[in-house]
Amino acid sequence: MEKQTITIYDVAREAGVSMATVSRVVNGNPNVKPDTRQKVNEVIERLDYHPNAVARGLASKKSTTIGVILPDITNPFFASLARGIDDIAEMYKYNIILENSDENVNRKLEVFENLLTKQVDGVIYMGNVIDDRLREAFKNSRTPVVFAGSIDDKQALPSVSIDYKMATEESVDKLIKDGNKHIAFVSGSIEEPVNGKYRLEGYKKALKKGDITYNKKLVFETDYNYDSGVMLASDIAASDATAAFVGNDSLAAGLLNGLQDLDVKVPEEFEIISSNNTEITKMMRPQLSSVGQPMYDTGAVAMRLLTKLMNNEEIEERNIVLPFDMVFRQSTK
Amino acid sequence: MEKQTITIYDVAREAGVSMATVSRVVNGNPNVKPDTRQKVNEVIERLDYHPNAVARGLASKKSTTIGVILPDITNPFFASLARGIDDIAEMYKYNIILENSDENVNRKLEVFENLLTKQVDGVIYMGNVIDDRLREAFKNSRTPVVFAGSIDDKQALPSVSIDYKMATEESVDKLIKDGNKHIAFVSGSIEEPVNGKYRLEGYKKALKKGDITYNKKLVFETDYNYDSGVMLASDIAASDATAAFVGNDSLAAGLLNGLQDLDVKVPEEFEIISSNNTEITKMMRPQLSSVGQPMYDTGAVAMRLLTKLMNNEEIEERNIVLPFDMVFRQSTK
DNA sequence: CTGTTAGCGCTTTCAC
DNA sequence: GTGAAAGCGCTAACAG
């Protein structure tokens, strides 16, 4: 049925030139006489020749493939980032190998090894947790790694993200301005730098500006999902909080619904500001106010940065901070 | 900093054996004396040797990589399928190259070519649209392709999905049993087999059983997203429909909110049954009733099927139909 | 059980 | 502008 694999050698023979010349035209090398080029192209067409990327990768030591490590592709936040990455990758002719890490450190190490084994030209890392072993592995490999939507708190590696501290600060500013004196901070584990280091600091800074003393009891750590939010609602309703900054949309959605099920009126009795402005913020009733984070762009910019790193181009800024905005909807006054 | 790439040859020399032997121990070939094996493993450890998957791929003609073509990874339905695929792929030591097609036929052809170029061992295809050129390309390649969560209406290619016709039929049965005489059918383009061929047929069959005449005006085609649902709400409210079967959760969510914004009470005045039972069905108020589709499992089973195909194992059934269930929540009586 | 020997299909000096 | 030849790092007969 299907004919034998046809190789560069077949094309060379048919066109009466050498493999080197075929290789040149395939790769757009200018040092080929137009006549020759055309002749070769005709044969390529006629034989329906397709270069073998694996052989090419072995010879050139470039795979035109990059690895993408993320916690879970079903999380809309990471899916959006991945989409941004993929679109730019496509533009630069790179393919993407996807790896779900479930934020498991050992798994990340394995996965990274595996990616190196596959000779990826670069990797984009997403995830809120990063430990020293992984950081070491990243640094020791000569494969460039960039962080997307995540920050290495040691700032040792290139990254693209928003200013989480300031975004949180502005959110809490707004909540204070609305008259709230007791504001909950809801997030995933504060072991994660994005929460414990950046967001929490922004939260504290806003409190200080508002002359409100920080109360540890108003810091709620849980998982990033809807059901956790629902379950958290009773705890929060039982506290004296009248507003919350929430670090994740699914979590915020759960909290909102949970609170309403307990007959707490939002925003009249309780205000909520969420963090990622994914589509579900619009689906909720009342609609959730949120920090607006350019997820797609974060992925896109990270990929663009990676291409520069892979080509050893000059980099102006290794730690890129993208602008965010505040989207006020119905869950705030 | 980083030492030279160390190869199988280095290991062989250091261990005083041949490359072939090293290759054997690396690949777990049993024909190696335990002593030798251990000696080689020690050297591998000491030299921190990592096999080069590209070279291996060239020599063995296997890349241990598969391609996954889907419309858009930010669509939760496809993201869940992708997760199922990835988990099983990992189990069988395959990696996944992700390709977003945006349901664009030309792009799909390109992307598929590219995947073949990269020598993937198999491909999983998701998408509701498939035209003859693509089907031909799939069949002509000797790379196995399986459909996941989608059906090739010609049934020519292996696939894994639920029985969309029956799921729709059962949904509409329920709506009829609740007393509705005018039931809208809302989906994406009925050019897509899943809608025009399977779901619509199930819809018609249920109507016939309920002695309701099919009314073309109650068939609404639109895009698979929240805003389209919102916009559709006024049209549907203006029709005489008192219930709707909707082929997509985001769309159903938009319709639900749109209807409520028009003061239509759900489910008292209007019932809705959606299709994918993604998490947003639970987030909506009232919560959406939905066909429960095993998305993760569909991906997982498709990947398992692909592994069999790649190994030329016997296949009992090429077109696997997974069970679905009906999840009744608050958008139905 | 182990070693030898060809390649896999392509890129890349280095000559001419 | 073009060709010859040497690998890239590994697998897979084939001997022995």
Side-chain angles (χ1 to χ4, degrees), chain A residues 14-306:
Chain A
E14 285 288 311
V17 299
S18 72
M19 294 167 51
T21 299
V22 178
S23 175
R24 287 190 188 98
V25 347
V26 168
N27 293 295
N29 184 316
N31 294 349
V32 181
K33 216 194 313 177
D35 287 10
T36 322
R37 181 183 303 281
Q38 188 183 343
K39 190 173 52 181
V40 171
N41 276 135
E42 277 169 19
V43 176
I44 287 179
E45 182 91 1
R46 179 156 57 79
L47 264 40
D48 192 31
Y49 165 71
H50 292 277
N52 177 324
V54 173
R56 181 182 287 191
L58 182 58
S60 68
K61 295 173 165 304
K62 290 205 183 81
S63 61
T64 60
T65 300
I66 66 144
V68 173
I69 302 175
L70 43 67
D72 182 5
I73 193 63
T74 65
N75 177 323
F77 177 70
F78 294 114
S80 291
L81 282 158
R83 189 55 154 105
I85 294 169
D86 193 40
D87 284 357
I88 304 302
E90 192 212 327
M91 206 171 288
Y92 286 88
K93 308 287 181 203
Y94 283 95
N95 281 115
I96 279 184
I97 293 185
L98 231 209
E99 301 269 21
N100 294 99
S101 71
D102 290 322
E103 288 283 26
N104 173 314
V105 178
N106 288 325
R107 174 132 181 66
K108 286 177 186 180
L109 282 163
E110 261 172 42
V111 142
F112 183 63
E113 275 308 335
N114 175 241
L115 254 15
L116 295 183
T117 279
K118 294 252 166 157
Q119 312 300 121
V120 295
D121 299 331
V123 351
I124 292 190
Y125 174 85
M126 296 177 249
N128 294 315
V129 191
I130 167 152
D131 83 331
D132 288 335
R133 273 150 69 218
L134 191 57
R135 192 180 289 110
E136 277 313 296
F138 285 166
K139 288 207 294 216
N140 289 338
S141 82
R142 56 210 132 177
T143 305
V145 176
V146 355
F147 281 53
S150 327
I151 36 288
D152 175 16
D153 52 329
K154 303 246 162 86
Q155 299 268 335
L157 289 153
S159 64
V160 180
S161 70
I162 64 166
D163 184 336
Y164 291 107
K165 179 178 170 184
M166 188 173 302
T168 308
E169 186 185 331
E170 286 190 22
S171 301
V172 178
D173 281 348
K174 155 74 176 166
L175 262 13
I176 292 175
K177 202 180 63 172
D178 287 350
N180 296 286
K181 300 292 180 201
H182 303 280
I183 300 170
F185 176 90
V186 181
S187 73
S189 165
I190 61 172
E191 297 287 306
E192 300 175 6
V194 65
N195 297 322
K197 182 148 180 201
Y198 299 97
R199 286 176 172 147
L200 194 55
E201 279 196 13
Y203 170 76
K204 286 179 181 170
K205 187 169 169 199
L207 290 189
K208 177 168 285 179
K209 283 189 303 184
D211 260 340
I212 299 177
T213 40
Y214 170 67
N215 176 358
K216 215 173 179 176
K217 294 219 176 88
L218 290 178
V219 173
F220 298 86
E221 294 176 70
T222 181
D223 295 322
Y224 292 121
N225 62 59
Y226 179 79
D227 291 334
S228 300
V230 173
M231 291 194 310
L232 199 63
S234 49
D235 286 352
I236 292 196
S239 76
D240 53 5
T242 57
F245 165 82
V246 184
N248 174 277
D249 289 344
S250 294
L251 188 50
L255 178 60
L256 170 58
N257 279 164
L259 248 21
Q260 294 189 117
D261 289 348
L262 294 170
D263 261 344
V264 176
K265 303 277 174 267
V266 177
E268 296 79 1
E269 301 168 14
F270 198 99
E271 293 185 74
I272 299 176
I273 296 184
S274 188
S275 282
N276 297 334
N277 197 34
T278 54
E279 196 160 45
I280 62 175
T281 55
K282 283 195 306 181
M283 294 186 183
M284 303 304 296
R285 287 300 135 94
Q287 294 181 31
L288 285 167
S289 296
S290 177
V291 171
Q293 196 173 161
M295 299 174 288
Y296 179 91
D297 292 349
T298 299
V301 171
M303 183 63 214
R304 181 65 186 100
L305 176 58
L306 185 59

Side-chain angles (χ1 to χ4, degrees), chain B residues 20 42 81 95 156 247 257 330:
Chain B
E42 277 169 17
L81 282 159
N95 281 115
N257 279 163
Q330 306 160 343

Side-chain angles (χ1 to χ4, degrees), chain A residues 64 83 86 100 102 118, chain B residues 64-65 83 86 100 102 118:
Chain A
T64 60
R83 189 55 154 105
D86 193 40
N100 294 99
D102 290 322
K118 294 252 166 157
Chain B
T64 60
T65 300
R83 189 56 152 106
D86 192 41
N100 294 101
D102 289 321
K118 293 252 165 156

